[in-house]
């Protein structure tokens, strides 16, 4: 809301580039260029807070009109022309410009100030160039009609096409003054027909209406949707820029263009851009006429070209980054109309950052700020090789990265059927819902016509690592085919889906492995991108405070993670050590009627598990390995209740011997639980089944001792899951310590004993638990489930889309740590644990350990390490480095 005496209007000479929140990106950078002495047409910016006030009250805040009058008068006197003057009019553009560029926002209206009288004055001003004057006037009515008054744009472009057809002309340039004057009349009639009133002749009225339309476009449907997707706050508002017009449509010595200081795709330095002679603004990007490469401007207008190059170099030096630029040349005079730090691909972000370091423009810290873990993750996916120029079918929103190829199917059932038959499939749906889940699991990729990055399809696909493109709204989907751009894709036709770019192609596009992954794997690669990644990763490694470990259960995973830079294992699950051909032993263990039977089963399991640990510790030699004692509900290791019941019933019917199965069935029934995840699992299991934890601890310690005797350097850490009370941990710890002391003897092996913090009660009693723990590892998956009281498998596909839509959370709390709730539990446990035991080692082993935003949080809290899946290790290393640099900066995320 407005504050008393707040200033709403800033002249370009008053602002600067750091005022983006107030002046919007465009306004702040126009002001910056003005301050730098670059040729920017005079103008002023109406602030985002004026927009906020307008949107809150429905009318302009008091004082705004007077301020605009004042700045307009200054503009008029600077230009020596008056808005609406019949003989020598000043024209302006009215341009939207928020702090973030946003699709769906109102576009620009050029040539504001023209009317039936001043159009004549404009022609005179341009040395009798009537064609130019009428061209400008008809453009005003067209843009104003379309963007301010919602007149369908087609009506204008159809009228233009008819005028060209009547002349036998292919290009607007072949229309003459009289044609354009007639077209202007036609446009006015179209305007009146749709709006019910004449095109406004009062220039101040034109300006006011255009400005208010810009304000209102902040809440246009597409803009709202985009903000929600990109998590941009809804209350920022947009600024409005009023800029004196310069004219690129005055003849062949005029024109308009766009340029980049570097190739935004590759990051290579050079002159990239397009130019259009005798044209105004949006013609370049609208693709109405063929542009020429910027390089050709050199021969057309050497002086402007040289000046432009000089300005581009100045801007790069000033912003110390790739800039993109919009410019216009009016009769050989160059004008700068916009600049900003340009958008770029993930690969270019790394290359540009590294290049700027090499050129001495920025230091390594700054380079690290300019790349992100999300970009690195993108570079680690295989990519489509587009060299053969595949047929592009459509483009949607890249919702979950990856390159998926498969046959199009239109129902979850068909996806499951074809996948079962060994086919790769892409599930194509208008939108997905929980009933599609099986099909989504079976598919290589998912394509939807509706919904954005927070739709059901997007959330679920990201959760399970499936490639997904959603919101491809040109796609029309029927029961067994889809059509787009005049093509029909039938069930079974092969398509290729790029979850990074959102592009969908016909046929099987070849997939290339990621060179960045090849680099992490230690393969020799000769590439500029890899050099850049190497440079920034090395810097992140020297900067970060957080260590990065991996979650790995096998020696092979451990070895790969180590190549990716893991500094130990933060979570080794032992579940798999009880499965496969060992299942039978586990059954015997559970069903043991006597202590001897139980001891026999455990004794048989011991050497098998010890061998597993030997492999694992060998792969992680010299680094810590945290082994979690068995965690899941016991019935997961038993045969299915239904199956057994059927077997027993059938055998009984046939009079066959079923004593063993019946006994097993009894046991399985006894152990059946309503809510297994909240049942007999984790430490509870260890306390109930005598000898189970002891066997694991013995296997771990014996493995470590064996390796130490071989001369290796194992660092085992034993982790007790699901502890909620210190008494649980104390009981287990006493048992463990006895075995450890006995086995270790004089081997020199040192074994830590700690616990997971994943039950809210554990976090809240961390001070007590720390008395019995050498380390804590936050199990953020369970902590999130138990903190919110929902099970991930059940809820993510069921209602998260609705919660995201309602803004209850901005992102799934399983994707990124919920700072306020779950994060607070982590803070409490950290503070209270360390207060009791200052050297307490703290880590995270939930999936959040590899999520960029969460890594920043864990750095802030002061944990010692994060642990994540092998593939996320490089992402965590990079983000941990960035977190160390950006901690405390407001725009760190
Ligand atoms: P967008 O945000 O879509 O880039 P702009 O406000 O930058 O919209 O306007 C689009 C184009 O209109 C500019 O690139 C420029 O070519 C033209 N334009 C805007 N203002 C002026 C002006 N004052 N004089 C001449 N051309 C202008
Ligand atoms: Mg622009
Ligand atoms: Mg857990």
């Amino acid at each position: 809301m407005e504050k008393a005496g707040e200033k709403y209007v800033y002249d370009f000479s008053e602002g600067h580039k750091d005022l983006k929140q107030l002046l919007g990106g465009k306004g702040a950078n126009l002001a910056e260029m003005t301050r730098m002495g670059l040729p920017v047409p005079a103008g002023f910016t109406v602030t985002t807070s004026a927009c906020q006030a307008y949107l809150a009250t429905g009318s302009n805040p008091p004082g705004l009109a007077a301020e605009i009058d004042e700045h307009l008068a200054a503009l008029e006197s600077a230009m020596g022309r008056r808005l609406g003057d019949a003989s020598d009019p000043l024209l302006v553009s009215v341009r939207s410009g928020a702090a973030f560029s946003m699709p769906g926002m109102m576009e620009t209206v050029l040539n504001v100030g023209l009317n039936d009288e001043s159009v004549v004055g404009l022609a005179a001003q341009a040395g009798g160039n009537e064609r130019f004057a009428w061209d400008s006037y008809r453009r005003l009515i067209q843009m104003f009609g379309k963007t301010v008054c919602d007149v369908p744009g087609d009506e204008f472009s159809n009228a233009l096409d008819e005028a060209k057809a009547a002349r036998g002309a292919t290009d607007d340039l072949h229309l003459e003054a009289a044609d354009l004057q007639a077209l202007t009349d036609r446009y006015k009639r179209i305007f009146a027909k749709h709006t019910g009133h004449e095109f406004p002749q009062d220039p101040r009225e034109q300006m006011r209406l255009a400005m208010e339309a810009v304000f209102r476009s902040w809440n246009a449907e597409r803009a709202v949707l985009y903000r929600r997707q990109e998590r941009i706050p809804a209350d920022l508002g947009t600024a409005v820029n009023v800029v004196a017009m310069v004219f690129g449509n005055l003849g062949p010595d005029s024109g308009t263009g766009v340029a980049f200081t570097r190739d935004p795709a590759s990051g290579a330095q050079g002159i990239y851009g397009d130019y259009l002679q005798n044209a105004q603004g949006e013609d370049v990007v609208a693709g109405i006429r063929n542009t020429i490469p910027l390089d050709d401007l050199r021969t057309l207008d050497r002086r402007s070209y040289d000046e432009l190059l000089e300005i581009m170099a100045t801007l790069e030096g000033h912003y110390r980054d790739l800039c993109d630029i919009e410019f216009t040349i009016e009769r050989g005079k160059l004008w700068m109309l916009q600049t900003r730090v340009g958008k770029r691909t993930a690969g270019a972000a790394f290359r540009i950052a590294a290049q700027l370091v090499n050129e001495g423009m920025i230091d390594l810290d700054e380079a690290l700020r300019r790349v992100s873990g999300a970009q690195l993750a993108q570079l680690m996916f295989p990519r489509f090789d587009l060299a053969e120029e595949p047929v592009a079918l459509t483009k949607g929103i890249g919702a979950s990265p990856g390159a998926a190829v498969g046959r199009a199917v239109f129902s979850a059932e068909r996806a499951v059927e074809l996948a079962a038959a060994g086919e790769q499939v892409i599930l194509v749906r208008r939108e997905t819902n929980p009933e599609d889940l099986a099909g989504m699991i079976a598919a290589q990729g998912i394509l939807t016509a509706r919904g954005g990055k927070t739709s059901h399809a997007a959330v679920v696909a990201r959760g399970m690592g499936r490639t997904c493109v959603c919101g491809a709204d040109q796609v029309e989907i029927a029961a067994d085919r889809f059509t787009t751009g005049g093509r029909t894709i039938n069930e079974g036709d092969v398509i290729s889906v790029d979850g990074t770019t959102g592009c969908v192609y016909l046929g099987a596009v070849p997939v290339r492995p990621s060179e960045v992954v090849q680099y992490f794997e230690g393969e020799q690669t000769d590439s500029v991108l890899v050099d850049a990644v190497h440079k920034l990763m090395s810097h992140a490694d020297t900067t970060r405070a957080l260590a990065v470990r991996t979650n790995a259960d096998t020696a092979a995973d451990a070895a790969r993670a180590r190549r990716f830079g893991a500094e130990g294992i933060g979570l080794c699950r032992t579940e798999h050590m009880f499965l496969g051909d060992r299942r039978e032993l586990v059954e015997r263990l559970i069903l043991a009627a006597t202590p001897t039977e139980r001891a026999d089963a455990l004794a048989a399991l011991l050497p098998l598990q010890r061998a597993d640990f030997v492999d694992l510790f060998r792969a992680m030699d010299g680094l810590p390995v945290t082994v979690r004692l068995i965690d899941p509900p016991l019935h997961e290791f038993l045969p299915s209740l239904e199956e057994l019941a059927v077997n027993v019933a059938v055998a009984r019917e046939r009079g066959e011997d079923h004593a063993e199965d019946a006994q097993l069935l009894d046991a399985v029934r006894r152990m059946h639980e309503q809510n297994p995840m909240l049942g007999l699992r984790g430490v509870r299991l260890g306390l109930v089944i005598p000898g189970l934890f002891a066997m694991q601890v013995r296997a771990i310690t014996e493995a470590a001792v064996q390796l130490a005797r071989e001369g290796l350097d194992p660092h085992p850490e034993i982790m007790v899951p699901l502890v909620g009370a210190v008494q649980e941990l104390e009981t287990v710890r006493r048992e463990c310590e006895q075995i450890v002391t006995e086995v270790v003897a004089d081997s020199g092996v040192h074994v830590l004993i700690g616990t997971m913090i994943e039950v809210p009660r554990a976090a809240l009693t961390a001070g007590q638990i720390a008395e019995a723990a050498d380390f804590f590892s936050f199990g953020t998956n369970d902590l999130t489930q138990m903190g919110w009281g929902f099970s991930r498998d059940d809820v993510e596909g069921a209602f998260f889309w609705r919660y995201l839509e309602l803004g209850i959370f901005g992102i799934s709390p399983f994707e990124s740590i919920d700072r306020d709730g779950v994060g607070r539990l982590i803070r409490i446990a950290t503070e209270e644990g360390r207060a009791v035991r200052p050297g307490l080692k703290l880590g995270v082993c939930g999936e959040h350990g590899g999520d960029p935003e969460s890594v920043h949080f864990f750095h802030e809290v002061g944990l010692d390490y994060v642990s994540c899946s092998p593939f996320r290790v490089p992402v965590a290393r990079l983000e941990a480095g960035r977190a160390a640099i950006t901690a405390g900066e407001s725009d760190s995320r």
Side-chain angles (χ1 to χ4, degrees), residues 102-114:
M102 223 177 287
M105 291 292 299
M106 204 198 80
E107 295 145 34
T108 291
V109 183
L110 303 179
N111 308 331
V112 169
L114 276 177

Side-chain angles (χ1 to χ4, degrees), residues 17-18 29 32 36 261-262 269 311-324 339-342 344 348-349 351-371 889 891:
K17 71 176 186 337
D18 300 324
N29 287 324
E32 187 74 10
M36 292 166 71
T261 58
R262 285 166 198 255
Q269 267 178 298
I311 290 177
M312 282 164 69
T314 307
L315 285 172
E316 264 228 347
H318 188 76
Y319 284 89
R320 300 178 303 134
D321 207 342
L322 168 135
C323 295
D324 75 26
T339 192
R340 67 186 157 198
V341 168
R344 63 204 67 186
R351 279 192 270 199
I352 292 171
Q355 276 168 5
L356 292 173
V357 173
N358 293 342
E359 291 163 21
M361 268 218 241
I362 59 174
D363 63 14
L364 277 163
D365 279 5
E366 178 61 23
L368 209 47
R369 277 193 194 91
R370 293 188 184 180
V371 294
E889 290 174 12
D891 59 346

Side-chain angles (χ1 to χ4, degrees), residues 571 573 628 631-632 677 681 721-722 756-759 778-783 785-786 845:
L571 173 62
R573 301 176 178 85
R628 181 176 70 184
D631 179 49
M677 296 313 281
R681 54 176 287 223
L722 226 70
M756 292 191 75
I757 301 288
E758 55 186 338
V759 176
F778 292 100
T780 51
N781 296 349
D782 264 316
L783 199 56
Q785 296 202 118
M786 294 192 224
C845 64

Side-chain angles (χ1 to χ4, degrees), residues 798-837:
F799 66 78
F800 270 26
W801 61 273
R802 181 67 179 145
Y803 269 41
L804 291 160
E805 195 179 83
L806 291 170
I808 292 171
F809 35 65
I811 184 168
S812 158
F814 292 111
E815 267 181 63
S816 198
I817 197 85
D818 151 35
R819 288 179 171 239
D820 299 339
V822 177
R824 180 148 161 69
L825 289 171
I826 293 173
R827 276 189 199 277
I828 291 171
T830 298
E831 276 162 30
E832 300 190 357
R834 281 213 174 118
V836 168
R837 194 186 274 246

Side-chain angles (χ1 to χ4, degrees), residues 26 95 326 338:
K26 201 179 286 169
R95 315 168 65 185
E326 296 173 9
Q338 187 174 335

